[in-house]
Structures are given as structure tokens and as C-alpha cells.
Amino acid sequence: MKNNIIVKKFILLILFCFLSVIFVLPLVKTNIIFYGDDLIFQLHRILEMVTNFKNGNLFIGIYTYTFHSIGYPLNLFYPWVTLLPFIFFGLLVKNSVIAIYIGIAFYTFLTLTFTYWTTKKFSNNNLQSFMTAIIYTFCSYRTIDIYARFALGEFIALTFLPLCVYGLYAIVLGNSKDWPFLGFGMSFVLLSHLLSVVLYAIFLFLLFIIFITYKKIKRRNRVIDLGKAILISILSSAIFWIPFLEQETYQKISQPDKMDMVAQALLPSKVIIESLNNNLTRGDAGNTYNIGIILFLAIIIGIEQYKDWNKNYKIIYLLGIVFLLVSTSLLPWNLIEKTPLSIIQFPWRFLTISSYLLSLVAGHECYILISIIATSYYKRIIVILVLSIITIAPWYAGITNFKNPVNNNEKFALATFTPRGVNYTDSGKKVEPALYHLGDYAPIDGTKKLPEIISKNASINGEKFTLKKTIVKPNEIEFNNSKFKNSRNITLPIFAYRNLKVYNKNDQELLYKVNSYRQIVVRKTNNSNLIKVKYQMSNLDKFSVVTSMLTWIIGVISFVRNKKWLGSLKKTKF
């Protein structure tokens, strides 16, 4: 019996590996990464980290090799930990395109695994869990997120959404020992994409309120479990949020641009049309983004089956539709964009939540169908195979249309990583600074000086000149000019951030001040024509790294040792 279970788990593992390869295979065969909205931004993030790791630096305070080498503090403001698999594959595989696709396949495998695992824990049904995992993993919005948008952080965050939802469910209604699912799930969402934290928090809070209003629970125990989950989430993600707050409290920082949410809201008619078309291409103002034909059919089938479902599935179904409608122009976004919720930028980001909820519904509908038409083991295998093909076929058709030059008229991108940046094939245009989003995390008072900093314009006592020679190293930029020698009040083309230190060529620390534009102004160079600006980890930085790593290690050890947690696929059931 035990050997049989091991064999089944091994077969499932192989199936998930195969499906992960299927998810990237149509595009990886081209040896091209197709242009997406955030492609240039995200690829240079990966390049910077790969280059730093090759040079022995594991904590990046400022970007020096990429983003015009302006000392861009991206990792201090944008979560980076979940990029590490891409960095690992980038170091392991010479072909950078293949490395990127392996990273996408890796997170696809985790999505399949986490979705299957959590669905089984609350449904106790293998068939339903398997179908839910496939439907969610191959759903339109998740595919659009990584290929059409190349929104890498948001795509990765989708991997951990099932953990968060099940963790909350387990705390409030079921197995209280599974509270770590919520704690670690939310922490890795935070380590992937900040705006997804906002979206998921809104959803989970709403779910929590719904749960406690119609179920009798021991509130005291649940509050304790919830508190433990929150604590674990804080400790696990300390490696990002502590350095982040350290910088946020140092000066006022520009934030990502607010968008016209009325214009970005989906048109209901377009959602229906593009879902039926299973359109996976890019679109103007978000109006090709959709849930796909499979989840749209799940809504239609649900209308007929709804009366026969238990209360829990009815809630999931209704919430899935609600979050779909929230992403559209049916909501008065002209009023909402004046509230703090405007930080989410795009209403269609709520499709992340809708897609997961409707995948749960679709998986349940598949189980009902299988139970009706397949009575024997072998018939069930055939029906599952057919349903899997029906799920993946429209996805494959959508991917084929996506890579068609007619739909990708901005050409394709990326051939190789080089020490100087990313070589783009057939990009057809120069990479503009706007595509790097350099103004997103610049000091508010200095944004008007950003063009001069990109151009490496320095000044001595107000006399401007351009620096033609800079040398970059991990967390360090060296400015070299004969005019520096025996000079005072040298304004450098770099913004001041906390933990930046300035040295001369003899590694003597130099005093500096910050001007009204938040640029570093060196008072004097002590007879040196070389000025080094370095990011040095603070004690808080070091504490944050140790805290997160200890939390992860303890979590893994506890997970492996706790066989009941590892193997409990019973008790809590929808």
C-alpha cells in the first residue's frame, strides 16, 4: 500500500514536470523571448543579479552594471528574493534565453504542485485537485502575465496564492496545524510583488469576514494561529521589508506612476469576446486581458449546477464572478482612483484572484462530470486525459497566435546577456530610459535632475562637465576625472541613499553632503582624482538577512520532521 502511494506520487511528479515543459515549449523552441510590457525592465534586473553573483556579491544595494549605471537602488524597493531561481539557471546555463524559460517552467511546476496540494487538503479528492491545478496553471491571465506582459513579479506571486487561501481556510475553519501555509505563502508573495500583497490582503480580509460570519469557530484559537502566521510572514520577508523601510524613512521617494484607472478598466463586452477567443496577446489599455474560455465556460456551467453545490462552493463561485466584475468598467473607478486603492494601477489585476477562484470551481465541475460518466478506474483516466487536452488545447492555440508576427508587431527581444547589457535582436528601436522606469524610486526632489544623472553630468562649484570615465563593480561606482584633484564641492551624478559611503582612490572615507536635488556633493577629495561611491550593508541589512534565512531553515526543518503536516490530506473537506 505504501509503495503504491509512493509510485502514484512519483507519477504525479513526472506529470507536473511534463506539463511545466509544455508551458514553455512552444516559445522556447524559437530561442527568443518575445517582447512584453516589462521585458526590458525585468531582464536587466536578472542581468544585474547574475553579474553580481558572478563577482561574489549576494546582496545588491545599488545597480551598477545595468539601468545606465546610475546607482539605481532597485533591490531595496522592489522584491528580489524570488528571482533567485532565474539567477541560478542564468549561472548554470550558457544560453540566457533557455535559462529564462527554465525559470518560468520552475515556477509553473511549483504552481501545479501548490495548487494540487492545497486543493487536495480541503477537498480530499485527487481528480478534482489535478484538474484544478492544470486549469489554474494554464489559465489565460497567468499566461498573459508572463508572456504578453512579462510581469515577472506578479507572475511569481500567483504561484503562492493557493498557499495563502488554503492557509486562511485552515486557520479559520479546518486544520489549525496548517497555519504556516498562510505565513510563508504571504511572505513569498511579499518577496515577489508588493502590489500583489495589496490585492491578496483585500481578498483574504473579505474571505475572513465571510468565513467567520457563517461558521461557528473557536475564535481565541484562530486568532492565535492567525497571529503566528502574521509573525512568520514578517520574519520570513524581513530580508526585503527592513531594507525597504530603512530607505523609505530616509527621504521621500517617487513611487510608480498612478494610472488612469477608468481607461484601464476592462470593457465587459471585450472580456466576454476575448475570453471566448482565449486571446493571449498584448492589448491597448488592458482590453484584451481576460479569463479565457475554460473559466468562462465554468461560469456558464455553474449557473446550472449552482443549486446543487454546498455553501462553500457557492461562495467561491460568487466571489470569482465578483472579482471578475471588479476588474471591469462596471465599477465607478473614477471615484476609486481617488482613494489609496489607486496604488494597484490597473483594475484588471483583480483577474488574478478571479482566475484562481474560478479554477477551483472548474476543478469541482470536472470532478462532478468524471463521477457521472466514468465509473471504472481506467475510464476515469481516459476522461481526465480528455479534459486535460480540452484545457490545454485553447491555451496552445492562444500561444500560437501570440507568437505570430501579426500580433507581435513590436518585434522580438533578447539574444544574449553581455557585460554591457542585453543584446536585442530585431528590437527595431533604441532602449529608452523610460523603459527602465528609472524615475520610480528616485528621490522626489531629484527627479528633474534624472536626465543629467543618466548623462553623467557632474559639477564643481556649479561648473558643469560630463564624466566620460566610470568604472563599475558590485555595489560600487568609481568616478574618475582630473578636475577632481584638490577640488571642493563636487556634485556627482548619483542620488544619495542611506548606507552609501564615499571614498577616494586610497580608500579614505570622504565627507559629503546632499544638495537640494538629493545628489551627493563631495566636500573635498584629499588630493585624489578618483571618487568611489559604495553601498555598504548596515547592521539592519545584515539582521534582516539572518532573520529571513533562519526562518526559512527552521520552516524547512519543521516541515520535513512534521510527518502529520507533510502528509495530512484529510479532515478538512469542502
Side-chain angles (χ1 to χ4, degrees):
M1 181 66 177
K2 187 175 181 180
N3 290 336
N4 190 36
I5 293 174
I6 293 174
V7 170
K8 287 182 178 179
K9 288 184 176 181
F10 179 74
I11 292 173
L12 187 65
L13 181 71
I14 297 300
L15 276 173
F16 284 171
C17 288
F18 173 74
L19 290 168
S20 300
V21 172
I22 291 296
F23 189 82
V24 300
L25 188 60
L27 299 183
V28 75
K29 290 191 300 183
T30 66
N31 200 34
I32 290 171
I33 294 181
F34 290 73
Y35 188 83
D37 298 333
D38 292 342
L39 177 72
I40 292 171
F41 177 78
Q42 297 292 354
L43 289 182
H44 281 81
R45 290 182 67 204
I46 294 172
L47 171 61
E48 181 75 30
M49 294 181 68
V50 168
T51 309
N52 270 261
F53 277 44
K54 283 181 178 178
N55 286 279
N57 179 45
L58 305 182
F59 188 94
I60 304 172
I62 55 173
Y63 281 24
T64 55
Y65 296 95
T66 57
F67 293 91
H68 289 287
S69 299
I70 65 168
Y72 192 37
L74 189 53
N75 276 18
L76 300 177
F77 292 95
Y78 198 114
W80 57 273
V81 171
T82 51
L83 281 187
L84 291 177
F86 288 90
I87 311 310
F88 173 76
F89 297 126
L91 294 170
L92 194 65
V93 181
K94 289 184 178 180
N95 186 321
S96 57
V97 173
I98 301 299
I100 297 296
Y101 280 118
I102 293 175
I104 294 171
F106 171 78
Y107 276 108
T108 297
F109 174 80
L110 287 187
T111 303
L112 285 162
T113 303
F114 291 162
T115 307
Y116 175 87
W117 186 21
T118 53
T119 305
K120 186 172 181 181
K121 286 179 81 66
F122 62 63
S123 70
N124 198 24
N125 187 284
N126 291 321
L127 302 182
Q128 179 176 328
S129 303
F130 182 75
M131 290 309 305
T132 301
I134 293 180
I135 292 168
Y136 177 58
T137 301
F138 285 85
C139 73
S140 289
Y141 187 76
R142 182 176 179 273
T143 307
I144 290 169
D145 232 13
I146 188 57
Y147 292 138
R149 298 186 59 223
F150 211 85
L152 197 55
E154 185 177 304
F155 166 78
I156 294 173
L158 283 165
T159 305
F160 305 103
L161 179 57
L163 298 181
C164 300
V165 176
Y166 171 72
L168 181 69
Y169 167 78
I171 288 173
V172 177
L173 299 175
N175 186 359
S176 64
K177 292 181 180 180
D178 281 353
W179 59 263
F181 280 86
L182 177 60
F184 283 105
M186 277 303 288
S187 75
F188 279 93
V189 172
L190 194 154
L191 293 172
S192 304
H193 191 239
L194 284 179
L195 295 185
S196 291
V197 175
V198 177
L199 292 175
Y200 296 2
I202 293 171
F203 166 56
L204 292 174
F205 177 76
L206 176 61
L207 203 59
F208 179 78
I209 297 300
I210 292 172
F211 280 159
I212 65 173
T213 55
Y214 81 96
K215 289 285 187 178
K216 294 181 180 180
I217 60 174
K218 296 179 181 179
R219 285 184 170 81
R220 183 172 178 273
N221 292 339
R222 300 312 188 231
V223 169
I224 292 173
D225 290 337
L226 185 61
K228 289 189 290 187
I230 293 172
L231 178 61
I232 282 293
S233 183
I234 291 172
L235 295 176
S236 176
S237 57
I239 193 171
F240 170 73
W241 67 260
I242 288 180
F244 172 77
L245 290 181
E246 191 178 19
Q247 296 298 327
E248 284 283 353
T249 55
Y250 176 66
Q251 60 189 341
K252 292 182 179 180
I253 297 293
S254 299
Q255 301 299 327
D257 295 333
K258 288 187 177 182
M259 305 299 295
D260 184 345
M261 301 183 81
V262 176
Q264 295 293 335
L266 303 177
L267 298 175
S269 58
K270 292 283 284 184
V271 172
I272 295 173
I273 293 170
E274 302 300 346
S275 293
L276 291 174
N277 291 333
N278 219 72
N279 192 342
L280 304 181
T281 60
R282 301 170 64 233
D284 182 36
N287 278 321
T288 61
Y289 302 154
N290 60 88
I291 59 172
I293 189 169
I294 298 299
L295 297 184
F296 185 80
L297 289 176
I299 294 176
I300 302 302
I301 294 171
I303 295 174
E304 193 276 329
Q305 292 187 356
Y306 182 82
K307 61 182 182 298
D308 298 322
W309 292 342
N310 66 37
K311 198 170 186 178
N312 296 301
Y313 280 109
K314 290 179 179 179
I315 289 174
I316 292 175
Y317 178 76
L318 292 175
L319 283 177
I321 294 175
V322 166
F323 279 101
L324 173 61
L325 295 177
V326 164
S327 69
T328 71
S329 58
L330 294 177
L331 219 64
W333 285 105
N334 60 317
L335 300 177
I336 297 173
E337 69 180 356
K338 298 175 184 178
T339 71
L341 190 60
S342 63
I343 192 175
I344 69 168
Q345 297 179 311
F346 309 112
W348 37 261
R349 278 193 162 123
F350 283 105
L351 290 178
T352 58
I353 297 167
S354 179
S355 295
Y356 174 64
L357 294 175
L358 293 176
S359 295
L360 290 172
V361 170
H364 184 57
E365 292 170 348
C366 288
Y367 166 66
I368 293 173
L369 178 63
I370 293 169
S371 301
I372 294 173
I373 66 176
T375 55
S376 68
Y377 176 78
Y378 292 106
K379 284 184 179 179
R380 288 190 174 192
I381 295 297
I382 293 172
V383 174
I384 291 172
L385 178 61
V386 171
L387 290 175
S388 299
I389 292 173
I390 290 173
T391 299
I392 296 175
W395 171 87
Y396 180 78
I399 283 293
T400 302
N401 290 331
F402 166 75
K403 65 180 183 179
N404 189 321
V406 173
N407 295 319
N408 245 306
N409 54 17
E410 288 195 48
K411 302 286 186 176
F412 315 133
L414 189 65
T416 53
F417 285 159
T418 72
R420 294 184 178 181
V422 178
N423 278 340
Y424 297 97
T425 54
D426 299 322
S427 59
K429 59 182 179 181
K430 182 181 178 182
V431 177
E432 299 296 336
L435 295 174
Y436 293 128
H437 302 279
L438 294 175
D440 283 358
Y441 306 112
I444 289 179
D445 294 335
T447 51
K448 63 176 65 175
K449 287 290 183 178
L450 190 55
E452 293 185 23
I453 287 178
I454 293 173
S455 300
K456 299 293 185 293
N457 290 339
S459 66
I460 296 176
N461 293 319
E463 181 183 345
K464 295 182 179 180
F465 58 96
T466 300
L467 295 173
K468 296 182 178 180
K469 187 176 181 180
T470 58
I471 299 173
V472 297
K473 298 177 182 178
N475 280 337
E476 179 181 337
I477 301 176
E478 295 182 359
F479 302 99
N480 196 339
N481 193 284
S482 58
K483 294 182 179 181
F484 291 162
K485 200 167 187 177
N486 298 320
S487 295
R488 295 174 178 269
N489 297 321
I490 304 167
T491 302
L492 298 176
I494 185 171
F495 289 125
Y497 295 96
R498 183 164 280 167
N499 303 328
L500 288 184
K501 303 289 185 180
V502 181
Y503 301 90
N504 64 11
K505 66 179 180 181
N506 298 318
D507 288 326
Q508 296 175 321
E509 186 170 357
L510 302 177
L511 297 176
Y512 72 88
K513 60 183 179 179
V514 180
N515 67 13
S516 59
Y517 297 109
R518 307 304 298 171
Q519 290 177 264
I520 289 176
V521 180
V522 180
R523 294 181 177 179
K524 59 180 180 178
T525 59
N526 294 337
N527 198 32
S528 173
N529 60 355
L530 181 69
I531 301 175
K532 306 176 185 178
V533 179
K534 298 181 181 181
Y535 181 91
Q536 293 187 343
M537 291 180 68
S538 66
N539 290 331
L540 276 176
D541 290 338
K542 296 173 183 176
F543 172 77
S544 70
V545 173
V546 172
T547 299
S548 289
M549 293 189 70
L550 284 177
T551 305
W552 300 336
I553 292 170
I554 293 171
V556 171
I557 293 173
S558 299
F559 176 82
V560 172
R561 294 183 62 183
N562 191 342
K563 294 182 179 179
K564 289 183 179 179
W565 183 21
L566 180 64
S568 65
L569 300 173
K570 52 183 178 178
K571 301 165 188 168
T572 44
K573 182 179 179 181
F574 265 4

